[in-house]
Amino acid sequence: MHLARAALRARSAQSPRTVARRPAGFELRGLRPILQAALGRGRGAYHQQHGLEIVEARLFNTVGPGQTGAYGMVMPRFVAAAVEGRPLDLYGDGRQRRCFCDVRDVIEAVVSLMRNSRCHGRVFNVGSDCCISITELAQRVISLTGSRSGTRLVPYERVYGADFEEPRERRPDLTRLREAIGFAPRFSLERTILDIARSMRNAKTPQLAVA
């Protein structure tokens, strides 16, 4: 963590205005793989030496009802905009592809991994490997919510700064997860979008007091 704090201070000193506009946690993205690898080795060694039952689950784009878009998560941000009739902002060109997995499927997978002794001491990617472009996601959200919202492209540098780099596609390899627990998501992307929209609408509906 000392390394992470030093990197944050260095970036803030170089470009304070740009950093101030970035979503919370952005500056740690470059260090995340390094920190994950270091922590993973430490957990693996502890498992071997002391027999501690450890399973490492690496989550990829977990989404679901109750999620907030405050930290830049695209799914709740899109659904909130559609429900409120605002334009859906697509960062970059909208052609980047991502995979989304419902939190309810993720929970089942993590619990199954914890209960399976053959999974202890191992690392698993948990998520979906069905990709969709951000533009297609926005269109699907608008269609499913019955919204009249449109979309608009927002340059990366306006949100993240000029030095931002975005992978064109992020797709986890789920081979190990499927072999270990037979993982197969039950919640479709459409179902997840509808449930997120429903939860957002319910949160804005005044609840009648029960005597």
Side-chain angles (χ1 to χ4, degrees):
M1 290 308 295
H2 292 298
L3 178 61
R5 292 193 186 100
L8 284 173
R9 286 196 294 270
R11 290 202 178 196
S12 297
Q14 292 172 359
S15 181
R17 293 182 181 178
T18 300
V19 171
R21 292 198 306 268
R22 294 172 180 173
F26 167 79
E27 292 80 3
L28 290 177
R29 287 184 181 180
L31 292 173
R32 188 172 298 165
I34 300 174
L35 296 174
Q36 285 180 338
L39 291 172
R41 291 193 185 96
R43 285 190 290 265
Y46 203 85
H47 167 73
Q48 293 178 355
Q49 293 178 12
H50 303 283
L52 183 65
E53 297 178 349
I54 297 175
V55 177
E56 181 176 346
R58 295 179 177 174
L59 310 186
F60 288 77
N61 285 336
T62 302
V63 295
Q67 188 177 31
T68 175
Y71 299 100
M73 287 295 294
V74 65
M75 179 75 80
R77 185 167 57 82
F78 276 4
V79 176
V83 169
E84 296 169 6
R86 296 183 285 105
L88 279 64
D89 289 341
L90 283 63
Y91 299 158
D93 59 14
R95 290 184 292 181
Q96 59 271 40
R97 296 172 60 81
R98 296 292 181 267
C99 306
F100 300 92
C101 190
D102 193 287
V103 64
R104 291 162 287 191
D105 285 321
V106 170
I107 290 173
E108 286 191 11
V110 171
V111 171
S112 295
L113 290 172
M114 293 170 60
R115 290 176 173 172
N116 190 333
S117 60
R118 293 177 299 175
C119 299
H120 296 167
R122 303 175 65 192
V123 180
F124 296 87
N125 294 332
V126 179
S128 169
D129 55 3
C130 296
C131 276
I132 183 173
S133 75
I134 297 302
T135 295
E136 292 172 329
L137 176 65
Q139 293 170 346
R140 195 165 301 184
V141 167
I142 291 172
S143 175
L144 288 170
T145 58
S147 176
R148 295 183 178 180
S149 296
T151 62
R152 60 186 178 188
L153 297 178
V154 179
Y156 278 132
E157 55 268 22
R158 187 181 301 175
V159 183
Y160 298 115
D163 58 344
F164 180 74
E165 296 182 4
E166 178 79 350
R168 299 306 296 173
E169 181 173 293
R170 186 178 290 121
R171 184 198 303 262
D173 183 350
L174 303 180
T175 303
R176 181 180 296 182
L177 183 67
R178 291 193 177 103
E179 291 176 348
I181 61 172
F183 178 70
R186 295 187 301 111
F187 292 86
S188 67
L189 181 62
E190 289 76 13
R191 168 73 182 278
T192 302
I193 292 172
L194 289 172
D195 286 350
I196 294 174
R198 186 179 300 110
S199 70
M200 289 183 175
R201 289 182 173 122
N202 289 342
K204 294 182 178 182
T205 302
Q207 301 297 314
L208 297 177
V210 179

